[in-house]
Amino acid sequence: MKIAIVKLSAMGDIIHAMLALQFIKKSNPDIKIDWFVEEVFAPVLQNNPDIDNIYTLNLKALKNDKKKLPTEVTKVRTYSKNSYDLVIDAQGLAKSAIVSRLLGKDIAGFDRTSTREGVSSYLYKRRISSDYCKNVIERNLDVILTPLNISYTKKEILEKKPFLFFKQNSEDIEKFLSKDKKNILLIIGASWDSKIYSKEKFAKISNILDENVLIAWGSNEEKESAEFISSNSNSKVLPKLNLNDLKFLVSKMDLVIGNDTGPTHMAWALNVPSITIFGCTPGKRNTYITNINRIIESKSKVNPLKLKKEDFSINDINEEDIVKIAKELLNDKKDKGLS
């Protein structure tokens, strides 16, 4: 059997969906899996042994240049020659539904009430029900596994194997790691300003913990924030990393502390201790809480169906509360003899 999974973006959403791969292969190792993704996020999927082919699209470019549409349509039609037995739209948007429809005839995706763009469901042959307010990990498992008649349990999710893979060619990254102190990574950026925790408070966290604190960044604005945090604490600013090196780095961390964004979710995918900070987005929906993957939320009452970008309550979270959780996780790791 050959299937195509359409999950185009964004990084965190792709990571949330990737868990399904190990469930599929455990049920049927012979299933061939191709993944369709926006070109910029393809490195997140690379080196995963459960994916046979990664096919990239550049639909984001269409916002600025509609003339590229025929090229992208032709590209997808070419991929349809792969003769997929099943196409799964794990995104639930109109654009992903159209891509799925161009790829094959037997298409599965969320039903009309389970996604923000319910019109997409009319292009599917199989419609999967999964409450939009349900945890995103479980929603992704619902839409990908249900058409394949594969079930899952919460226990299986908690016992998952790490599922991000990378090339071990990062000597330049290893020089930033400490053998004497705990290695902590700060993820200070996010897609919205209201999802970003205060740089002043990140600096205070670094000073209180007094470990080997590293700061990752992706844009010039994030770099400026990283330099501010570093100049006001004992932390170090990393060079700009590609996604392979970022996956490698996260895998080496004793703890990741960050906003609700893709690089922070890498820690969950790699079974690395983490604290994800939530303000205007719902914590219990947007990640899976485990003994080592914790969240801290502002006091905002967040409606997943109507997020408020003007809600900056994330900055009301006391840095001391984050430090307390960090020390618990670091001490727990030390008590278990983990390095």
Side-chain angles (χ1 to χ4, degrees), residues 255-307:
L255 177 65
V256 174
I257 304 174
N259 303 310
D260 176 20
T261 186
T264 308
H265 296 307
M266 283 184 178
W268 184 85
L270 288 164
N271 292 347
V272 169
S274 66
I275 304 171
T276 309
I277 310 168
F278 290 92
C280 63
T281 52
K284 292 181 177 63
R285 178 185 183 273
N286 283 15
T287 193
Y288 218 81
I289 301 171
T290 73
N291 290 336
I292 64 169
N293 303 115
R294 307 275 290 279
I295 68 170
I296 187 164
E297 298 175 282
S298 72
K299 295 181 180 179
S300 285
K301 293 183 179 179
V302 180
N303 179 359
L305 296 170
K306 194 174 182 180
L307 299 179

Side-chain angles (χ1 to χ4, degrees), residues 162-221:
F163 57 85
L164 294 181
F165 300 85
F166 41 84
K167 294 180 180 179
Q168 301 270 4
N169 60 350
S170 302
E171 292 182 3
D172 290 341
I173 301 302
E174 288 187 326
K175 69 183 181 183
F176 290 98
L177 303 178
S178 173
K179 295 181 179 179
D180 303 317
K181 290 189 172 186
K182 295 293 185 181
N183 293 294
I184 301 173
L185 180 63
L186 301 183
I187 304 295
I188 62 170
S191 55
W192 305 344
D193 288 345
S194 52
K195 292 171 66 175
I196 297 175
Y197 193 55
S198 160
K199 59 187 178 183
E200 290 83 4
K201 292 188 176 184
F202 268 128
K204 291 179 181 178
I205 290 170
S206 178
N207 282 327
I208 297 171
L209 290 176
D210 192 28
E211 300 288 355
N212 182 43
V213 180
L214 307 174
I215 311 171
W217 56 276
S219 66
N220 289 334
E221 186 176 0

Side-chain angles (χ1 to χ4, degrees), residues 32 41 54 62-63 71 77 88 92 131 136 141 168 199 206 212 219 233 249 281 283 287 297 325:
K32 302 297 182 182
F41 296 119
I54 300 169
L62 299 181
K63 289 183 178 181
T71 300
R77 289 191 184 279
I88 301 172
D131 190 334
V136 292
L141 292 179
Q168 301 270 4
K199 59 187 178 183
S206 178
N212 182 43
S219 66
S233 69
L249 178 69
T281 52
T287 193
E297 298 175 282
I325 300 172

Side-chain angles (χ1 to χ4, degrees), residues 11 37 42 130 142 148 156 181 185 231 261 271 306 337:
M11 188 191 303
V37 65
S130 184
D142 287 345
L148 296 168
E156 288 176 307
K181 290 189 172 186
L185 180 63
S231 64
T261 186
N271 292 347
K306 194 174 182 180

Side-chain angles (χ1 to χ4, degrees), residues 23 30 48 200 278 335:
F23 285 81
D30 294 327
N48 190 308
E200 290 83 4
F278 290 92
D335 291 343

